[in-house]
Amino acid sequence: MARMKFLCDSERCIECNACVTACKNENEVPWGINRRRVVTLDDGLQSEKSISVACMHCTDAPCQAVCPVDCFYTTDDGVVLHDKDMCIGCGYCFYACPFGAPQYSQEGAFGARGKMDKCTFCAGGPEEDHSHEELDKYGRNRLAEGKLPLCAEMCSTKSLLAGDGDIVSELFRNRVVRREGRGESWGWETAYND
Amino acid sequence: MTLSKRKKMMGLTGLIMLLAIVLLPMTGYISTGFADTEIKQVEIKVEKTNPRADYWRAVRNNTAGYTAVKGRETGELIQGSGEVWRQLRNGPIATYGSWLIGITLAVLSLFYMWRGRVELIHPRTGKTVERWTLNERRMHWITAGLFIILGITGLSLLYGRMVLIPLFGHNGFSAYAAIAKWVHNILGPVFMVALLSMIVNWFSNNFITKVDIQWFKEFGGMVGDNHPSAEKLNGGEKIWFWSLTTVGMLLCFSGLVLDFPNFDQQREWLQLSHLIHVLTAFVLMSFAFGHIYIGTIGTEGALEGMVTGQVDTAWAKQHHDLWLKKLEDEGKAP
Ligand code: SF4
Ligand code: SF4
């Protein structure tokens, strides 16, 4: 079984935000929520670099560890998903997540949290594959269609890579060798130990 | 102002304006000049240290960058404190918290087996004095009720996954937890108001005096056959009051930070508040067990005071002699 991972090649990312838009559209992401975001460091300076970040689908995911209702599960592909029907919107996964992935639709007064929403690696949710409920709550299930996440597919510079971790790191390694650079697979140290 | 003076002024102003016209556009050169030196500095730095290493170090240190996505801390790539919070919550806090509750209950049961109930030494006189007014009793029972509800719903969020999911299943527990969270969030601020009203109303009765020090030295008559003096409130009650005033307020304020996320509190604040909230809750829960024990099965006649408002003068004489004496002096006691 593949172990799905994301990798953003910061030497390539040009902060076009195509991944953000692609995700938003493909998954019909609720208003006020972006499952992916591009962060630019040292904006306008020589050392400027951009990184596209979303849920990294961590090994031993911190969100999963703190959820009081235990609504997360990891698929055979290593994708971390959650059951919105069970989520009580407590915010704990948001406190614990290193990447700031979990977000909430605002429900009621005083910023009361609705159900948590985050990147699904375009793998839908616990509902039946391709069902209306799945699309409604979690977005498209591209993995079940044999496709990879749309953010990476649409990346104009092929900076954002998504797929089997071994293949992704092999691709990246070849790039780094060819450009005689130093490899920095951003976030991997934090997210993965498999 | 004479004419010559005015001419001089005009000449001077003209000169200043001319200078400004010549000099101001030059500030552009000045600032680019500075910028040039800045870039040179950057280049020098770049030569000295490995830029990429510097860069990734910055990313790990919660440095925020620019992002087009608006929202709370969206510019931050990796936040490290979440991991600390997770380990504290799931580790020591969950473990030692349950120990604290368990040990408190065990100690109280053992104490009861050893000491039994503190009985009245003199028979009841049948005459009573008013100890708590109706309003005081309402305040007490509302706060107490809220405390219990908040305690149970709060503990459910911490231990429910371990204890209740095996009993009710995932869906059953989730349905309960959703209500528990809602109830906890709504009643929390109400509890705060109730607690504050108790603090304000009973503040003046609760200054620790010499009498209380002596009361502590004799363990409040809980151990041995002494009956140390006490005013309307004894040393133990005063300690409970001050814990509620300090620890309790900390509990309430940390709760408010968690309850109202609409002020875009940073995650560090939420994590810290959560830890404070759980810790203070555990401390107060173990104190509350002690308070409930002493107020019910631990002491004969104590509960009546808070239920009916009246206590027997025999009870008052044994437990709060100075208070009874004061009432007698004031002619308020039968
Ligand atoms: S990135 Fe955050 S939300 Fe995604 S699996 Fe890791 S901890 Fe969970
Ligand atoms: S917000 Fe929902 S998914 Fe996140 S920890 Fe709470 S219950 Fe679990």
Side-chain angles (χ1 to χ4, degrees):
Chain A
M1 265 293 160
R3 164 55 166 118
M4 294 299 179
K5 289 178 185 173
F6 277 126
L7 195 153
C8 182
D9 185 345
S10 64
E11 299 291 320
R12 285 192 176 207
C13 178
I14 56 166
E15 199 209 350
C16 68
N17 280 293
C19 48
V20 179
T21 319
C23 168
K24 186 102 181 147
N25 190 54
E26 180 78 350
N27 292 307
E28 307 277 356
V29 178
W31 178 254
I33 292 175
N34 284 288
R35 290 181 179 176
R36 181 168 279 289
R37 65 192 195 275
V38 180
V39 176
T40 305
L41 294 156
D42 292 355
D43 196 12
L45 299 177
Q46 252 182 344
S47 49
E48 173 176 315
K49 280 200 179 66
S50 298
I51 293 166
S52 171
V53 57
C55 169
M56 291 288 276
H57 303 279
C58 309
T59 326
D60 298 329
C63 51
Q64 194 159 16
V66 297
C67 177
V69 296
D70 194 18
C71 76
F72 289 89
Y73 60 101
T74 305
T75 68
D76 294 340
D77 292 327
V79 176
V80 177
L81 298 175
H82 72 295
D83 188 334
K84 280 196 181 184
D85 292 340
M86 270 194 239
C87 170
I88 60 169
C90 66
Y92 288 180
C93 49
F94 167 70
Y95 303 174
C97 171
F99 299 99
Q103 289 170 62
Y104 304 85
S105 50
Q106 193 162 313
E107 203 172 75
F110 303 118
R113 299 184 182 94
K115 307 276 184 194
M116 189 273 275
D117 190 274
K118 73 168 189 69
C119 157
T120 64
F121 208 86
C122 285
E127 309 286 349
E128 197 190 321
D129 284 355
H130 311 307
S131 65
H132 190 75
E133 289 75 35
E134 188 187 48
L135 180 64
D136 223 34
K137 289 182 200 157
Y138 308 96
R140 194 79 55 190
N141 192 343
R142 292 172 56 89
L143 248 51
E145 294 169 14
K147 298 171 183 163
L148 285 170
L150 193 67
C151 51
E153 301 263 294
M154 297 237 317
C155 177
S156 56
T157 58
K158 287 287 163 274
S159 153
L160 185 60
L161 303 171
D164 183 342
D166 293 338
I167 299 175
V168 164
S169 52
E170 184 59 27
L171 271 171
F172 186 60
R173 200 166 29 244
N174 287 340
R175 272 186 200 178
V176 172
V177 169
R178 204 161 312 147
R179 68 187 178 217
E180 296 180 347
R182 224 185 266 247
E184 177 74 47
S185 35
W186 179 85
W188 278 37
E189 204 182 295
T190 310
Y192 310 129
N193 58 28
D194 58 351
Chain B
M1 208 182 273
T2 61
L3 196 65
S4 70
K5 255 195 182 167
R6 191 179 289 171
K7 268 187 187 160
K8 250 190 212 163
M9 284 285 284
M10 280 169 69
L12 200 65
T13 320
L15 201 68
I16 290 172
M17 283 170 75
L18 204 69
L19 269 174
I21 290 166
V22 178
L23 286 180
L24 277 179
M26 284 175 66
T27 51
Y29 295 104
I30 296 169
S31 64
T32 41
F34 278 135
D36 277 344
T37 51
E38 253 170 42
I39 287 175
K40 268 176 212 137
Q41 274 169 0
V42 169
E43 276 164 6
I44 291 164
K45 207 178 118 215
V46 163
E47 277 159 25
K48 274 188 193 147
T49 61
N50 177 352
R52 196 165 282 141
D54 283 351
Y55 186 81
W56 295 113
R57 196 170 305 128
V59 172
R60 273 187 291 267
N61 285 344
N62 298 13
T63 333
Y66 166 80
T67 176
V69 169
K70 297 286 166 257
R72 191 185 327 198
E73 294 170 88
T74 46
E76 202 167 284
L77 279 168
I78 295 184
Q79 62 119 3
S81 55
E83 189 55 24
V84 179
W85 173 76
R86 163 202 175 179
Q87 279 173 1
L88 285 174
R89 175 192 180 266
N90 286 10
I93 287 193
T95 315
Y96 296 124
S98 59
W99 281 26
L100 182 66
I101 300 284
I103 289 173
T104 310
L105 292 177
V107 166
L108 289 174
S109 331
L110 286 177
F111 186 81
Y112 184 68
M113 286 193 259
W114 172 69
R115 176 69 167 87
R117 189 159 77 145
V118 179
E119 312 272 353
L120 286 174
I121 28 175
H122 299 294
R124 288 171 185 266
T125 58
K127 283 182 275 183
T128 60
V129 282
E130 183 177 57
R131 182 154 169 79
W132 305 110
T133 65
L134 183 58
N135 269 334
E136 283 174 320
R137 278 176 279 148
R138 277 189 190 139
M139 222 159 53
H140 172 269
W141 289 114
I142 290 174
T143 317
L146 290 172
F147 185 87
I148 291 168
I149 296 173
L150 289 165
I152 291 171
T153 50
L155 285 176
S156 303
L157 282 202
L158 185 57
Y159 294 118
R161 181 165 167 176
M162 216 169 75
V163 182
L164 299 178
I165 288 182
L167 289 178
F168 303 127
H170 277 86
N171 288 322
F173 175 65
S174 148
Y176 159 69
I179 299 169
K181 177 206 140 186
W182 187 79
V183 165
H184 197 92
N185 284 357
I186 301 273
L187 293 187
V190 182
F191 172 76
M192 187 172 176
V193 173
L195 182 60
L196 271 174
S197 71
M198 278 205 324
I199 291 175
V200 169
N201 274 292
W202 289 337
F203 200 82
S204 54
N205 287 336
N206 275 289
F207 298 113
I208 307 266
T209 62
K210 267 199 195 122
V211 178
D212 301 314
I213 312 267
Q214 188 54 36
W215 189 91
F216 286 123
K217 282 188 187 149
E218 296 177 35
F219 299 105
M222 299 272 291
V223 184
D225 289 324
N226 290 338
H227 295 287
S229 290
E231 296 153 357
K232 176 162 183 185
L233 297 174
N234 62 37
E237 287 169 309
K238 289 180 184 177
I239 290 292
W240 177 223
F241 175 86
W242 289 112
S243 342
L244 281 170
T245 311
T246 51
V247 182
M249 276 296 120
L250 211 55
L251 175 79
C252 291
F253 279 111
S254 57
L256 287 184
V257 175
L258 298 167
D259 203 357
F260 297 98
N262 51 317
F263 297 108
D264 276 354
Q265 297 94 315
Q266 302 223 323
R267 276 165 292 184
E268 271 88 353
W269 279 100
L270 295 167
Q271 291 150 0
L272 185 68
S273 302
H274 178 271
L275 296 179
I276 294 176
H277 199 67
V278 184
L279 283 175
T280 49
F282 273 129
V283 170
L284 285 191
M285 272 186 248
S286 67
F287 277 31
F289 281 128
H291 175 67
I292 294 170
Y293 168 81
I294 297 173
T296 54
I297 54 169
T299 321
E300 183 183 1
L303 189 61
E304 300 163 20
M306 204 36 103
V307 174
T308 64
Q310 302 286 324
V311 289
D312 197 280
T313 47
W315 184 89
K317 195 163 180 55
Q318 182 176 339
H319 293 284
H320 298 273
D321 51 347
L322 298 178
W323 170 63
L324 183 66
K325 194 161 173 300
K326 196 164 152 254
L327 287 183
E328 280 165 357
D329 291 349
E330 287 169 1
K332 285 181 192 159

